[in-house]
Amino acid sequence: MRNIKYLIAGAFFGIVLVKSEVISWFRIQEMFRLQAFHMYGIIGSAIVVGMISVFIIKKFNIKTTAGEEVVIPKKEFSKGNIFGGLIFGVGWAITGACPGPLFAQIGSGFLVTFVTLLSAIAGTWVYGLLRERLPE
Amino acid sequence: MEFLKQPWPWYIAGPLIGLIVPILLLAGNKPFGISSSLKHICAACIPANISFFKYDWKREAWNLFFVAGVVAGGFIAAHFLNGQHAVKLSADTTAVLKHQGIKDFSGLLPNDIFSFRQLLTLRGFVFMVVGGFLVGFGTRWANGCTSGHSIMGIATLQWPSLVATCCFMIGGLVSTWFILPYLIKL
C-alpha cells in the first residue's frame, strides 16, 4: 500500500503529458523540425523547476516524509550515453513518444501503442542480452 | 474547470512536470525516471537467466506503480478533461507533413500511421514495432530517457545526462529530417 503515492504521482504526470499534448506525435515532429517553442518550453521549464526544487531541498536540508536525508543517485558516464542516446533519439522521432508518453498514450485510448510498448520492452530485453558485447 | 479542459500551455505543463522531481524525492528518495520500468518488467516477466535482469525488481516496484499511474492519468485526461482533440500544430509542420503524405490531423496521433489496421502494413510495422524497439534498446543503453536524463539528470547538474540529452536531440533531428520522409512514404 505504501506504493499508492507513486501511483498518484504517476497519474498526475500522465494527465499533464496528455493535456500539454506531449504525447502527440505531431508535437514531436514540430519540435524536431524546430517549428514551435512548445516542447522546448515544457522540457526547459521542467528542468528549471526541478533544479530550483533540488536546490531548496539541499539548502534547507529538507528530509523525506520518512525523515531520511534526500540522496540523489549519481549518473556515471558511459559510451552508452552517446550510442544509446542517438538510437533512442531516432526512435523518439519515429514513434513520437519517449517512454513516459508511451504509457500515457495507451491510457488515453491509443490502444495500438501497446504494441509500441511491447516492442520497447523487447528492445530493453535485447539490450540486456547483448550488453556484454556492447561498448560501455 | 473550463481552464482544465483547454490544452495546457508550456508554462503551466513544464513547471508541473518539474515538480515531480521533488515530489518523488520527498515521497521516498526516488529518482524521477520512466525507462527503468521497462527493465523491471523484463526482470519480472522474462529474466531468462540474463545477469542484467537478475536483481530484486520488487525493491523497485514503486517505479511500476508510477508508470501504472501514468496510464491511469492518460485515461483520466482523455475521458474527463477533454484530452482528445486536434493539435494546434504550427502551419509549417502541417504543410510539411501533408506534403509527405499524412492525411489525418484530427487527433493527437495520425490515424493513418498509428492504428491496428496499419500495424499489418510495412509502414505501421516500422513506426510502431521498429520505432518502439529503438526506444527500448536506446534508452537502456543510454541508461535513461527524457525524464531520467533530460529532466532529473540535468536538474541535478549531472554532465553525463547533458551528453545523453544532446545525443537524443541529434538522433531525433537526423531521424526527422533525413529518415522519416522515406518512412512516411513506405
Side-chain angles (χ1 to χ4, degrees):
Chain A
M1 282 326 267
R2 67 200 157 84
N3 280 322
I4 294 300
K5 56 191 176 191
Y6 301 114
L7 187 86
I8 296 167
F12 171 72
F13 184 40
I15 291 172
V16 179
L17 288 176
V18 174
K19 288 306 301 177
S20 58
E21 300 171 342
V22 172
I23 71 164
S24 170
W25 181 88
F26 293 112
R27 283 283 186 212
I28 304 304
Q29 278 293 300
E30 193 184 50
M31 167 177 78
F32 284 130
R33 295 198 154 274
L34 314 173
Q35 286 165 332
F37 179 70
H38 185 76
M39 287 297 303
Y40 295 100
I42 289 180
I43 298 174
S45 59
I47 293 171
V48 170
V49 168
M51 210 179 272
I52 295 170
S53 309
V54 172
F55 176 79
I56 293 172
I57 288 174
K58 292 281 170 195
K59 173 102 182 162
F60 297 99
N61 198 15
I62 301 171
K63 300 280 194 287
T64 69
T65 50
E68 294 165 357
E69 188 91 26
V70 170
V71 189
I72 289 155
K74 195 168 175 341
K75 307 234 181 223
E76 301 291 345
F77 176 74
S78 78
K79 286 183 189 139
N81 292 148
I82 297 170
F83 299 131
L86 292 170
I87 292 173
F88 163 53
V90 171
W92 185 10
I94 295 175
T95 60
C98 38
L102 201 45
F103 286 101
Q105 283 179 349
I106 296 166
S108 69
F110 296 100
L111 296 180
V112 74
T113 53
F114 188 67
V115 175
T116 317
L117 176 67
L118 287 180
S119 199
I121 293 170
T124 303
W125 189 85
V126 171
Y127 168 75
L129 185 70
L130 302 180
R131 196 167 90 99
E132 271 131 45
R133 275 175 265 168
L134 297 169
E136 269 308 305
Chain B
M1 201 60 197
E2 249 340 277
F3 170 74
L4 290 180
K5 290 194 170 181
Q6 301 297 319
W8 299 357
W10 66 265
Y11 50 83
I12 302 285
L16 289 178
I17 292 173
L19 282 178
I20 297 174
V21 171
I23 288 173
L24 292 179
L25 284 175
L26 296 177
N29 254 329
K30 307 301 185 205
F32 180 36
I34 292 280
S35 65
S36 340
S37 67
L38 304 174
K39 183 182 171 189
H40 304 326
I41 292 168
C42 288
C45 303
I46 32 173
N49 228 10
I50 297 169
S51 61
F52 189 59
F53 301 122
K54 275 198 238 166
Y55 60 93
D56 186 11
W57 61 272
K58 288 193 187 108
R59 286 179 64 95
E60 307 292 332
W62 78 272
N63 197 250
L64 298 173
F65 278 83
F66 187 63
V67 295
V70 177
V71 176
F75 182 86
I76 294 167
H79 292 84
F80 305 110
L81 296 169
N82 195 23
Q84 293 284 20
H85 50 80
V87 176
K88 281 205 188 71
L89 201 61
S90 104
D92 297 334
T93 310
T94 310
V96 172
L97 291 175
K98 269 190 182 151
H99 178 74
Q100 289 178 352
I102 302 289
K103 293 186 190 74
D104 174 43
F105 288 83
S106 65
L108 293 173
L109 275 67
N111 249 318
D112 30 21
I113 295 178
F114 298 94
S115 71
F116 280 104
R117 226 174 55 189
Q118 284 295 318
L119 199 52
L120 302 173
T121 67
L122 179 61
R123 180 165 80 169
F125 181 84
V126 168
F127 273 84
M128 290 174 270
V129 179
V130 178
F133 188 92
L134 296 176
V135 168
F137 188 90
T139 51
R140 198 68 274 123
W141 197 3
N143 197 23
C145 60
T146 331
S147 47
H149 275 312
S150 311
I151 297 176
M152 181 69 190
I154 296 181
T156 54
L157 309 174
Q158 313 214 39
W159 68 268
S161 292
L162 186 61
V163 172
T165 301
C166 291
C167 293
F168 300 167
M169 289 308 297
I170 294 168
L173 288 166
V174 169
S175 179
T176 299
W177 288 83
F178 303 110
I179 305 176
L180 269 160
Y182 298 98
L183 298 185
I184 291 175
K185 285 199 185 82
L186 282 176

